[in-house]
């Protein structure tokens, strides 16, 4: 049988965006999700799965971490409440990473924290229950790759168990196994969102990506599937790297760590500051995307203090500025304002996010609408503005200079609300007199 090499497709290559628009609405409105990487790698504080794959640690030593995964201070309601406090509307947790250790009670013959660690229990269901109590949508991360499973070809970076074309039966056994696990997660936990990972190791045909999509949608027609399913996902998932140019996708989500690692890491103190996360978040929503911000709890279930503080600070800021964030649309194209912007759904309110502290005025260019009012979100101050450079006989709009006094500014990022006389209309020409 002829096997094709993995082909890399964009997330929605095989999906008609028109057909998924309705089910994507909550996701488009949600803007912020919290990603959780929890697994045995938190015991030694090593790179999740990759540490043995890349031979930084032996596989045997890596798996010894099973003995230290206690979850003894795990308090799922506290996790959910912190996520709620951060302002996030959904959360995605690793049900199984590339190391193959399931965080639920899998009925398949393979590792789980229930069978193989002192935690001895399913940690997914209580978390989803707590999230649902807080009206937060539940996402299941699931690694298609399973470097521990005896019938999976890949193992270490320079060695694999076999080649699929040499033993198709063995590959079929793996397929049966991982698809059975997916069904378990689907039936037991009914995720609102699936976050696949690792699709790059095999093609859509090899994974049977289309069939996986069908199985999930049959169980729950509303479930959303991320873009790492070789063309059969609903939205795109850039990772760590901020898209500088606005992505063309209908829906996208930047997943990003709070330091340099996904899981709890012993020697990683490179924490992003609240200001950095908030400005990145504003930039993401300005470009029509979501931010999936990652935290990595310790093996006992406690969340590192730096991450707790970060989520609280982020929460303070986005509760204050909620109307400019949640349920909005991506903002103006580049060139109109030196900073991120968003729009209300009817496009009559324009929100301007001010990077850094402002002394004096900010400027808005190419706005055709008349302005009814400009205010500061969170303290209701009305601001003065002035139209500069308007030529009376030309249709080209003038520049709007807005004065922003220092005492109305937010500690992280000030947001202005510009109320327009109708849906936003922009001038995008070259400025020549017509
Ligand atoms: C990467 C890594 C993985 C991590 C994921 C999160 O694909 O393989 O370790 O879980 O990104 O986005």
């Amino acid at each position: 049988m002829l096997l094709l090499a993995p082909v890399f497709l964009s997330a929605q290559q095989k999906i008609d965006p028109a057909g998924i628009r309705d089910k994507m609405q909550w996701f488009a409105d949600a803007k912020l999700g919290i990603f959780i990487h929890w697994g045995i790698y938190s015991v030694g504080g090593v790179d999740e799965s990759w540490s043995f794959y890349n031979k930084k640690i032996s596989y045997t030593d890596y798996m010894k971490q099973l003995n230290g995964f206690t979850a003894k201070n795990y308090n799922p309601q506290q996790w959910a409440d912190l996520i709620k406090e951060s302002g996030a509307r959904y959360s995605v947790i690793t049900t199984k990473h590339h190391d193959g250790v399931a965080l639920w009670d899998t009925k398949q013959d393979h590792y789980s924290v229930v069978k193989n660690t002192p935690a001895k229990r399913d940690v997914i269901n209580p978390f989803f229950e707590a999230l649902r109590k807080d009206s937060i949508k539940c996402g299941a991360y699931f690694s298609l790759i399973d470097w521990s499973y005896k019938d999976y070809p890949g193992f270490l970076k320079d060695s694999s168990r076999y080649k699929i074309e040499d033993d198709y039966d063995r590959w079929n056994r793996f397929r049966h196994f991982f698809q059975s696990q997916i069904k378990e997660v689907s039936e037991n936990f009914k995720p609102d969102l699936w976050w696949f990972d690792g699709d790059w190791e095999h093609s859509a045909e090899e994974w049977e990506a289309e069939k996986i999509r069908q199985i999930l949608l049959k169980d729950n027609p509303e479930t959303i599937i991320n873009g790492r399913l070789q063309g059969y996902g609903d939205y795109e998932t850039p990772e760590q790297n901020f898209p500088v140019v606005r992505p063309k996708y209908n829906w996208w989500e930047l997943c990003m760590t709070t330091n340099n690692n996904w899981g709890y890491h012993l020697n990683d103190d490179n924490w992003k500051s609240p200001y950095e996360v908030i400005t990145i978040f504003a930039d993401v929503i300005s470009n029509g995307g979501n931010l999936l911000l990652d935290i990595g709890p310790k093996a006992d279930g406690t969340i590192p203090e730096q991450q707790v503080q970060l989520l609280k600070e982020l929460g303070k800021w986005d509760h204050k500025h909620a109307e400019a964030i949640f349920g909005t649309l991506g903002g103006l194209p580049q060139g109109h304002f030196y900073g991120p912007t968003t729009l209300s759904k009817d496009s009559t309110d324009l929100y301007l996010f001010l990077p850094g502290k402002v002394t004096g005025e900010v400027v808005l260019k190419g706005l055709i609408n008349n302005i009814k009012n400009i205010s500061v979100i969170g303290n209701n101050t009305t601001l003065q503005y002035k139209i500069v450079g308007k030529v009376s006989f030309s249709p080209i709009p003038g520049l709007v200079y807005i004065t922003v006094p220092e005492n109305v500014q937010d500690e992280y990022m000030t947001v202005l609300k510009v109320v327009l006389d109708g849906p936003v209309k922009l001038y995008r020409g070259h400025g020549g007199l017509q």
Side-chain angles (χ1 to χ4, degrees):
M1 154 163 230
L2 181 72
L3 284 170
L4 302 170
V7 192
F8 299 99
L9 303 168
S10 92
Q12 296 186 332
Q13 188 103 2
K14 307 282 186 180
I15 306 303
D16 172 16
I20 59 172
R21 197 164 291 280
D22 286 352
K23 79 162 187 182
M24 293 305 287
Q25 196 55 53
W26 74 256
F27 181 81
D29 289 340
K31 308 297 179 194
L32 182 65
I34 300 297
F35 210 173
I36 299 180
H37 275 68
W38 200 27
I40 63 166
Y41 37 86
S42 59
V43 174
V46 297
D47 312 352
E48 75 293 342
S49 310
W50 291 98
S51 50
F52 73 81
Y53 181 85
N54 287 326
K55 300 168 87 170
K56 285 193 189 168
I57 174 175
S58 73
Y59 180 67
T60 316
D61 283 345
Y62 183 92
M63 294 311 280
K64 277 187 191 149
Q65 296 178 104
L66 284 166
N67 303 324
F69 191 82
T70 64
K72 79 169 184 283
N73 297 313
Y74 176 40
N75 184 333
Q77 196 58 55
Q78 234 168 41
W79 285 20
D81 293 349
L82 176 65
I83 291 166
K84 179 101 188 160
E85 197 179 335
S86 79
R89 306 293 208 251
Y90 65 107
S91 182
V92 179
I93 187 169
T94 45
T95 61
K96 181 177 92 161
H97 204 262
H98 315 331
D99 61 14
V101 182
L103 272 76
W104 81 98
D105 191 10
T106 179
K107 299 297 175 244
Q108 305 304 308
D109 184 17
H110 199 36
Y111 295 112
S112 78
V113 300
V114 186
K115 276 180 293 205
N116 307 100
T117 76
K120 282 192 168 42
R121 61 186 192 280
D122 158 41
V123 294
I124 301 297
N125 193 49
F127 180 51
F128 277 16
E129 275 181 359
L131 287 176
R132 288 185 166 128
K133 224 186 262 172
D134 284 346
S135 308
I136 296 168
K137 298 274 190 193
C138 302
Y141 167 108
F142 184 92
S143 170
L144 297 163
I145 294 174
D146 190 325
W147 290 323
S148 281
Y149 197 72
K150 57 186 186 301
D151 292 322
Y152 187 72
F155 179 41
L156 305 178
K157 65 173 179 183
D158 49 8
S159 60
S160 58
R161 296 185 178 88
Y162 69 102
K163 285 205 176 91
I164 296 181
E165 56 268 39
D166 295 339
D167 196 344
Y168 210 73
D169 289 344
R170 194 168 174 189
W171 174 249
N172 263 333
R173 285 202 293 279
F174 174 70
R175 266 208 308 228
H176 178 75
F177 155 73
F178 92 84
Q179 293 176 7
S180 304
Q181 282 202 323
I182 289 177
K183 280 181 212 152
E184 286 181 10
V185 172
S186 178
E187 283 159 19
N188 294 344
F189 310 123
K190 309 195 172 18
D192 302 299
L193 184 149
W194 280 84
W195 216 99
F196 288 108
D197 197 15
D199 68 338
W200 59 82
E201 287 206 353
H202 297 282
S203 65
E205 292 75 16
E206 286 168 348
W207 295 121
E208 295 184 322
E210 187 174 11
K211 177 176 149 197
I212 294 171
R213 184 178 173 90
Q214 281 163 2
I215 292 173
L216 299 182
L217 293 178
K218 194 163 160 257
D219 274 4
N220 175 6
E222 296 301 306
T223 200
I224 290 177
I225 301 169
N226 80 329
R228 301 189 183 184
L229 194 56
Q230 289 286 5
Y232 288 91
D234 296 319
Y235 70 90
E236 205 73 35
T237 57
E239 174 171 329
Q240 300 285 30
N241 303 313
F242 191 88
V244 175
V245 176
R246 190 167 181 160
K248 294 205 171 63
Y249 327 122
N250 292 288
W251 302 278
W252 65 275
E253 171 199 69
L254 172 70
C255 56
M256 189 181 81
T257 52
T258 42
N259 50 2
N260 289 345
N261 282 278
W262 296 103
Y264 172 69
H265 212 277
L266 219 45
N267 301 314
D268 183 354
D269 272 328
N270 194 20
W271 300 106
K272 294 182 178 79
S273 70
Y275 177 75
E276 288 157 4
V277 170
I278 286 168
T279 48
I280 292 168
F281 179 39
D283 227 349
V284 165
I285 59 176
S286 173
N287 285 295
N290 286 7
L291 177 67
L292 184 63
L293 182 67
D294 180 73
I295 58 173
K298 298 181 189 173
D300 69 351
T302 53
I303 299 174
E305 197 43 39
Q306 292 90 338
Q307 293 177 334
V308 173
Q309 285 319 317
L310 177 65
L311 263 51
K312 284 177 186 265
E313 288 303 293
L314 174 61
K316 265 202 304 200
W317 182 80
D318 52 39
H319 281 106
K320 176 175 169 190
H321 300 101
E323 73 159 285
I325 301 169
F326 304 104
T328 60
L329 305 176
L332 308 179
Q334 276 173 18
H336 293 273
F337 183 67
Y338 295 122
T341 61
T342 58
L343 284 160
S344 59
K345 280 226 175 87
D346 62 3
S347 296
T348 61
D349 294 327
L350 169 63
Y351 299 98
L352 308 176
F353 295 68
L354 312 186
K357 289 275 175 285
V358 173
T359 39
E361 293 163 294
V362 295
V363 61
L364 183 58
K365 293 178 267 184
L367 180 72
I368 294 174
N369 303 73
N370 290 317
I371 292 171
K372 286 193 180 162
N373 172 270
I374 303 181
S375 60
V376 182
I377 301 278
N379 69 13
N380 286 326
T381 318
T382 300
L383 297 185
Q384 301 302 314
Y385 64 94
K386 178 181 167 199
I387 310 289
V388 171
K390 172 81 185 103
V391 178
S392 60
F393 54 84
S394 161
I396 300 173
L399 308 171
V400 185
Y401 274 86
I402 309 164
T403 304
V404 189
E406 264 175 58
N407 64 354
V408 300
Q409 295 186 37
D410 184 79
E411 112 184 70
Y412 295 118
M413 208 177 194
T414 308
V415 185
L416 309 185
K417 176 179 185 175
V418 182
V419 181
L420 307 173
D421 61 352
V424 68
K425 268 194 262 159
L426 298 174
Y427 167 75
R428 298 202 34 87
H430 298 277
L433 290 183
Q434 294 149 356

